Amino acid sequence: MNTDAREQTVNLGAGPSMLPTDVLLEASQGIIDYEGTGIGVTELSHRSSTFKNLLTQAENDLRALLDIPSDYAVLFLQGGGTEQFSATLLNMLAAHAAKHQGQGGAPPVDYVVSGAWSSKAYKEACRLYGPVRQVVDMRKNIRDASQPIPAPSAWNLSSVDENPAMLYYCDNETIDGSEFPQDFIHQLPEEYRQRVPIVADCSSNILSRPIDIRTHAVVYFGAQKNIGPSGVTIVVVRRDLVVDPDAVHTSYFPRIPTTLVYKNAVDNGSLYNTPPIFPIYVSGLVFKKLRKEGGVTRAQELAQAKSKLVYDMLEQHPSVFQANVAHAHFRSKMNLTFRILDANTGEPSDAEEARFVKLCEEHKVVQVKGHRSVGGIRLSLYNALTLEMAQKVVSLMQQFVKA
Ligand SMILES: Cc1ncc(COP(=O)(O)O)c(C=O)c1O
């Protein structure tokens, strides 16, 4: 297979994003003939033992990579991160109702808003349910160095006596380019952290640094950044929170569509209905490769090294570049967002950014434009991007500065 053009290209897209070439080559063979079965992987029955073995292996490798304890289920679902905006809420409300026997009325649910994706999740919760509390909105603080970012101890959390059904946050904001410091959730008040189920959207930074699964009730992530093709969304959920929503009767939340009910997925080993076979297969190959190449520890070292190259450039040239995230300890190691300034006015300049995009494209560095809602530049340095590729990007930034 000819990979020449691919090898000359650096794809910095935010997702779907680049995948390792060796994985794709193996997958291209698997599409034609999966491990000598004479059947391509996308033609396998999801009820076949061949597919079930593939799924089990993918789950076991992911468990090893993320140190997922046995009292957590791992689900391979469809619907994307967007579907989890509602699924997490509805399943946690059901778990709450089962625990409290529907007593005490509709519980509050707490949302941390730190960027575009957590804001979307919060809005979806407001569409579906009444007592939704935005405990903090740190979007402005993140962009403004003069405004400190409120620590978890300062968030306007529901009282534990109100028995909140969950706290929701997004660990890495793909559009804004911000990422929570790693110990942020550990800074929540002890009693709150012990009693309130914590839900994390880790779609754009999973497997790039360790995450303490045990602190969470649910950790979920779409595949299409650090894992595999779009189409599979992985949900890691504490088993004691997996309940039958039809067995609890309350007036304050609706019946949950069957494909959103975690219990259906758990009881059927993620095979309640036809799963996204190809994305699961490729994700499994990525897990296997990552385990072989040093796991999350190595991925984290690489993510730190790659992002440091870019952030150092921004710091060294403040008259040319301006990081969107003003607070250095909040800057994402996956999605690095910045503006390019006009030399005369010192203001962000669409024209300068267009010049930079053009320079990148001339050197086959592609998909560097920021999300349409924020503009500017976004460099997504996911796990599949090598250190050498990051160095090429930084040398283009250097060239741009000189010009
Ligand atoms: C952090 C985060 N959450 C959720 C989503 C939504 O994922 P999907 O488009 O698969 O529904 C995205 C998409 O990029 C994302 O980056």
Side-chain angles (χ1 to χ4, degrees):
M1 192 161 302
N2 188 340
T3 59
D4 292 355
R6 179 180 177 83
E7 269 152 30
Q8 287 159 17
T9 306
V10 178
N11 176 1
L12 298 175
S17 44
M18 71 170 291
L19 290 169
T21 300
D22 52 352
V23 163
L24 294 180
L25 285 172
E26 186 174 346
S28 64
Q29 173 63 40
I31 287 182
I32 301 298
D33 176 5
Y34 178 69
E35 297 195 342
T37 54
I39 300 178
V41 73
T42 62
E43 302 158 318
L44 289 172
S45 162
H46 59 292
R47 306 280 171 210
S48 65
S49 58
T50 310
F51 178 71
K52 284 185 183 165
N53 290 340
L54 181 164
L55 184 62
T56 304
Q57 187 61 51
E59 176 178 333
N60 290 344
D61 284 337
L62 182 65
R63 282 185 179 276
L65 285 165
L66 291 175
D67 186 22
I68 300 173
S70 57
D71 56 336
Y72 284 73
V74 176
L75 310 177
F76 291 80
L77 306 176
Q78 308 201 39
T82 305
E83 192 164 88
Q84 290 308 313
F85 296 165
S86 47
T88 49
L89 170 74
L90 296 171
N91 282 280
M92 288 307 104
L93 285 174
H96 183 280
K99 184 171 172 196
H100 297 274
Q101 306 287 319
Q103 302 295 309
V109 287
D110 288 355
Y111 278 74
V112 176
V113 173
S114 56
W117 289 112
S118 50
S119 165
K120 278 198 172 181
Y122 167 68
K123 283 187 188 140
E124 180 71 341
C126 294
R127 265 189 70 237
L128 295 170
Y129 186 61
V132 183
R133 179 192 285 237
Q134 181 177 282
V135 301
V136 64
D137 181 353
M138 53 180 79
R139 284 174 292 180
K140 283 208 181 87
N141 309 57
I142 282 171
R143 296 175 79 93
D144 182 350
S146 69
Q147 291 192 43
I149 294 174
S153 55
W155 296 350
N156 185 24
L157 299 165
S158 299
S159 145
V160 284
D161 297 333
E162 296 174 85
N163 286 319
M166 64 188 264
L167 169 79
Y168 181 102
Y169 76 100
C170 176
D171 206 30
N172 185 77
E173 287 284 0
T174 323
I175 292 175
D176 308 73
S178 63
E179 185 172 23
F180 273 179
Q182 235 177 324
D183 63 347
F184 219 47
I185 288 306
H186 288 104
Q187 294 170 28
L188 283 164
E190 177 70 13
E191 195 185 0
Y192 186 96
R193 197 159 48 81
Q194 297 295 341
R195 285 185 41 188
V196 180
I198 298 174
V199 175
D201 173 2
C202 295
S203 293
S204 49
N205 67 347
I206 197 69
L207 296 174
S208 70
R209 65 181 192 179
I211 175 161
D212 181 4
I213 298 285
R214 292 168 180 81
T215 318
H216 295 81
V218 177
V219 173
Y220 79 83
F221 34 95
Q224 67 267 26
K225 285 103 166 50
N226 263 340
I227 296 182
S230 59
V232 61
T233 309
I234 299 174
V235 175
V236 179
V237 53
R238 216 172 66 213
R239 292 186 195 275
D240 64 305
L241 295 164
V242 175
V243 302
D244 176 3
D246 295 346
V248 288
H249 299 289
T250 65
S251 55
Y252 54 80
F253 72 92
R255 284 279 161 122
I256 308 178
T258 49
T259 50
L260 267 59
V261 174
Y262 291 160
K263 190 169 191 322
N264 289 338
V266 171
D267 290 350
N268 293 280
S270 295
L271 300 176
Y272 180 74
N273 64 330
T274 315
I277 289 184
F278 184 69
I280 292 174
Y281 165 56
V282 179
S283 301
L285 296 179
V286 169
F287 298 154
K288 190 171 68 173
K289 177 180 165 71
L290 185 55
R291 281 193 79 180
K292 219 166 54 195
E293 295 180 352
V296 174
T297 309
R298 180 68 190 134
Q300 183 178 30
E301 283 166 10
L302 272 173
Q304 277 164 349
K306 290 182 296 186
S307 57
K308 183 172 184 319
L309 291 174
V310 174
Y311 286 131
D312 283 354
M313 271 300 286
L314 303 190
E315 295 294 331
Q316 284 157 17
H317 301 284
S319 60
V320 183
F321 303 119
Q322 184 182 74
N324 285 358
V325 178
H327 303 264
H329 66 301
F330 256 78
R331 288 182 187 153
S332 171
K333 295 183 175 54
M334 294 286 101
N335 311 102
L336 289 67
T337 61
F338 57 93
R339 301 299 311 257
I340 303 185
L341 309 177
D342 181 287
N344 297 317
T345 65
E347 292 296 318
S349 158
D350 292 346
E352 290 300 315
E353 286 158 0
R355 251 178 12 93
F356 180 69
V357 171
K358 187 160 174 281
L359 175 72
C360 288
E361 280 170 359
E362 282 164 7
H363 290 81
K364 293 197 179 310
V365 172
V366 300
Q367 303 210 74
V368 303
K369 247 189 177 154
H371 189 270
R372 61 190 181 282
S373 62
V374 292
I377 303 296
R378 171 172 57 178
L379 311 178
S380 294
L381 311 182
Y382 294 125
N383 283 0
L385 192 104
T386 63
L387 187 60
E388 293 69 34
M389 290 174 181
Q391 282 160 343
K392 177 170 176 180
V393 177
V394 171
S395 73
L396 286 177
M397 291 171 79
Q398 189 81 58
Q399 195 175 322
F400 184 82
V401 170
K402 280 198 188 132

